[in-house]
Amino acid sequence: MPALELTDPSVIPEIAKGVRSTFLTHKTRSIEFRLVQLRKLYWGMKDNANAIEAACKLDLGKGIYESNLSELNFCTSTLIYDINNLEKWARDESSPDVPIDMMVLRPKIRKDPLGTVLILGPYNFPVNLLICPLAGAIAAGNTAVVKPSENAPNVAAVMQKVIEGYLDQSCYRVVQGAIPQSTALLEQKWDKIFYTGGASVGTIIAKKAAETLTPVILELGARNPAIVTKNADIRLAARRLLWGKVHNAGQVCISQNYTLVDKEVFDRFVLETKKAMKEYYPNGTRNTEDFGRIVNNRQWQRIKKMLDDSQGQILMGGDMDESDRYIEPTIIRVSSLTDSLITEESFGPLMPLLPVSNLDEAIRIANEVHATPLAMYPFGNKTETDRCLAEIRSGGASVNDGFMHGSLPTLAFGGIGDSGHGAYRGKASFDCFSHARTITSTPGWVEFLMAVRYPPYEGKMKMIRRMELKPDFDREGRVKFSLARYIVGLGATSKTGGLVRYLVVILAALGLKQFFML
């Protein structure tokens, strides 16, 4: 295991200057260069798999299975997906809905790299949530500086070994450290800052970035609700929500923070959760490879205090050992929205349950506790889950499951409101580190068509009026029926629909012609 060496804050300005200078040489604009870097990063992950597994075990108590499922395999799958799709993503796009008289300008949208970006990683998934944003930054053609979380020091050291050993060091650098190093990094000018972590630090980063009008991607936590109605499959709901709180010892930003359970099925839900717990861990969670540990003693004490301050009743679990940073998965029945387990994000294996009378009450509580959570998990019939999706905002949602929407590396992932800004993963990672640059090319021979824009303007107003789009609705917002448009468009409601119908008619006519010629 490599030793972690903190970066001297005084050298950080030179590091940032170096990677910015490289970007200005246009070295990273080449698609082939980006592909080579992504391929090398893939092999860096594969070649150091054993070290990554060992580091995850030391920092978070993760077993080999979890380290591969949500760290290594997630990253390598992301890299392969990016490699396979990069050329397609990077192509110029033709601009949609261009007026016929403007097509001569050949408008297009080019995906330009932003420049030099800063990526600040978290401790809970210290490999996944550092490498996946970096892959997006590389794919989009940026240079980057990354800072792994100091709270997962062993993983941070291995990540530095991978990045320095496999990537071009003139383009991609690693800074190690805590507050002094982060402060020095935020003093530099970046073209985008990507941060994953808590809202308090995210607020500091956003304020500092605002001083230089630097855009930010903030992937934050939240008090995410789960809702279990009386029509839900209670056994499945219990199994799936329990998994959401035992995976990574509950240190998952998108796992449910609390669960609203219909009173009619509350006792059964608790019983099924206990059954699932016994099935998952026949010999308990204390001495199994399949259950992790809290990252450090400070976080362990924070979670313990939340439980100590709660007025709720423990229905399962509750065992703790600070020397081992162990907290047993714990179910708590709470009765108040002011309970510490509701008002704060636990980020641990605590599973507070709040009985509710009906879905109306559940939706009201979910919106009251946190109006814009990172995720939401409704369990019930389709009418009920559709209503939850319509009436509760969230960054993402998994219907009848626990955080599966965040487990797919090809889907865009991000928060809403105070649970985060922006999205990444899959093509969204490429897009969030790219600038969609609109480009037109005006040939000289069209100058006579441009005369309308030049002074003097006398006598040109009629031409402008003819170019203006006309509404198909009245002053009350009602769509006006046009018989002529209906006939010309063959009943279609859009130009595209009309063209498709004309094409169908033409093909049908040609088919009939061939038929009668036989």
Side-chain angles (χ1 to χ4, degrees):
M1 190 68 61
L4 178 66
E5 296 183 6
L6 303 186
T7 304
D8 183 346
S10 66
V11 307
I12 288 176
E14 196 61 31
I15 292 174
K17 180 181 177 181
V19 291
R20 181 171 293 281
S21 297
T22 299
F23 178 76
L24 295 176
T25 68
H26 312 300
K27 184 177 187 177
T28 58
R29 281 187 174 269
S30 162
I31 300 298
E32 185 57 32
F33 175 85
R34 304 180 204 179
L35 288 169
V36 167
Q37 296 303 303
L38 291 170
R39 292 166 188 152
K40 286 184 175 181
L41 184 54
Y42 171 87
W43 287 115
M45 299 295 293
K46 298 296 284 187
D47 293 345
N48 290 276
N50 291 340
I52 291 171
E53 291 169 355
C56 287
K57 183 66 176 178
L58 289 170
D59 289 337
L60 288 149
K62 288 190 184 186
I64 291 176
Y65 184 84
E66 276 199 10
S67 293
N68 279 272
L69 176 67
S70 55
E71 302 278 17
L72 268 166
N73 289 6
F74 200 101
C75 291
T76 53
S77 295
T78 292
L79 287 163
I80 293 296
Y81 183 75
D82 290 355
I83 289 165
N84 290 342
N85 289 279
L86 177 54
E87 291 185 354
K88 177 177 65 176
W89 295 340
R91 290 190 198 115
D92 289 349
E93 290 181 7
S94 58
S95 299
D97 301 321
V98 177
I100 293 175
D101 55 338
M102 291 296 171
M103 287 183 177
V104 68
L105 303 180
R106 292 176 294 164
K108 60 188 174 185
I109 299 172
R110 178 163 294 168
K111 288 58 167 295
D112 274 355
L114 294 176
T116 299
V117 301
L118 172 64
I119 299 170
L120 303 169
Y123 67 76
N124 59 325
F125 292 97
V127 182
N128 180 336
L129 301 184
L130 186 78
I131 295 299
C132 290
L134 176 59
I138 293 171
N142 302 279
T143 56
V145 173
V146 302
K147 193 192 87 64
S149 173
E150 70 279 11
N151 291 315
N154 293 288
V155 172
V158 176
M159 290 298 94
Q160 183 169 5
K161 178 185 176 185
V162 170
I163 292 169
E164 291 185 349
Y166 289 79
L167 297 182
D168 187 321
Q169 286 301 283
S170 70
C171 304
Y172 316 105
R173 297 291 300 275
V174 178
V175 167
Q176 300 282 19
I179 293 176
Q181 289 77 10
S182 296
T183 301
L185 284 167
L186 293 176
E187 290 295 332
Q188 313 309 308
K189 173 58 181 167
W190 306 98
D191 295 296
K192 181 166 261 186
I193 298 173
F194 189 109
Y195 168 75
T196 305
S200 58
V201 176
T203 302
I204 294 170
I205 291 170
K207 286 181 178 179
K208 191 64 181 176
E211 293 179 7
T212 53
L213 299 179
T214 301
V216 295
I217 294 283
L218 299 177
E219 298 292 347
L220 310 176
R223 287 161 288 161
N224 308 313
I227 295 174
V228 180
T229 76
K230 62 184 178 182
N231 296 310
D233 185 320
I234 304 304
R235 177 178 176 273
L236 281 182
R239 289 171 57 83
R240 292 172 179 181
L241 288 174
L242 177 62
W243 171 76
K245 297 305 289 184
V246 299
H247 184 74
N248 202 32
Q251 297 165 108
V252 184
C253 60
I254 55 171
S255 68
Q256 77 277 9
N257 198 59
Y258 62 99
T259 304
L260 304 166
V261 185
D262 191 290
K263 291 177 180 178
E264 290 188 26
V265 295
F266 185 89
D267 291 340
R268 185 179 163 206
F269 179 83
V270 173
L271 178 62
E272 292 294 345
T273 305
K274 290 179 178 179
K275 288 181 180 178
M277 185 70 183
K278 189 66 177 176
E279 181 181 336
Y280 295 167
Y281 305 102
N283 300 312
T285 53
R286 186 64 183 266
N287 298 310
T288 177
E289 177 83 1
D290 296 337
F291 185 73
R293 296 296 183 265
I294 305 305
V295 68
N296 56 36
N297 291 86
R298 181 169 65 88
Q299 294 298 329
W300 186 94
Q301 291 165 2
R302 178 190 60 79
I303 297 170
K304 181 179 184 301
K305 184 177 186 304
M306 282 185 66
L307 189 58
D308 290 344
D309 291 345
S310 172
Q311 299 301 307
Q313 175 190 3
I314 293 177
L315 304 178
M316 182 189 81
D319 186 26
M320 298 186 179
D321 183 353
E322 185 172 6
S323 66
D324 190 31
R325 309 192 314 274
Y326 168 75
I327 296 179
E328 184 182 15
T330 304
I331 300 177
I332 312 97
R333 177 176 180 148
V334 297
S335 57
S336 169
L337 298 187
T338 61
D339 194 279
S340 59
L341 297 175
I342 301 294
T343 60
E344 302 172 44
E345 182 185 3
S346 66
F347 213 63
L350 305 182
M351 196 169 173
L353 310 179
L354 180 63
V356 294
S357 299
N358 50 47
L359 184 57
D360 289 339
E361 183 182 9
I363 291 174
R364 178 184 61 78
I365 289 173
N367 285 320
E368 183 177 338
V369 170
H370 193 169
T372 55
L374 182 58
M376 187 260 294
Y377 305 100
F379 289 78
N381 61 38
K382 188 176 187 305
T383 299
E384 292 167 333
T385 57
D386 283 350
R387 188 179 167 201
C388 289
L389 292 173
E391 298 183 23
I392 302 172
R393 290 178 291 171
S394 66
S398 293
V399 176
N400 292 320
D401 208 347
F403 67 80
M404 279 308 295
H405 71 280
S407 304
L408 301 174
T410 59
L411 294 184
F413 173 85
I416 182 175
D418 58 1
S419 64
H421 305 312
Y424 76 116
R425 292 189 181 165
K427 185 176 182 295
S429 288
F430 176 87
D431 291 339
C432 85
F433 287 110
S434 299
H435 169 61
R437 187 183 191 185
T438 299
I439 300 172
T440 60
S441 300
T442 308
W445 63 265
V446 301
E447 184 65 8
F448 75 97
L449 295 174
M450 301 297 177
V452 68
R453 69 184 183 180
Y454 299 131
Y457 298 127
E458 186 178 353
K460 295 180 178 180
M461 185 58 73
K462 289 183 178 179
M463 191 177 297
I464 293 294
R465 295 295 188 209
R466 285 198 297 269
M467 295 168 62
E468 182 183 9
L469 292 175
K470 303 300 187 293
D472 63 349
F473 50 87
D474 63 21
R475 292 178 179 274
E476 301 301 319
R478 296 177 298 233
V479 176
K480 295 184 291 187
F481 177 77
S482 171
L483 181 60
R485 182 181 295 138
Y486 184 84
I487 294 172
V488 170
L490 300 180
T493 57
S494 66
K495 292 180 181 178
T496 301
L499 290 172
V500 170
R501 293 187 182 194
Y502 271 108
L503 180 61
V504 170
V505 170
I506 292 170
L507 291 174
L510 290 173
L512 288 171
K513 182 179 179 181
Q514 292 293 326
F515 176 78
F516 287 114
M517 288 177 64
L518 292 178

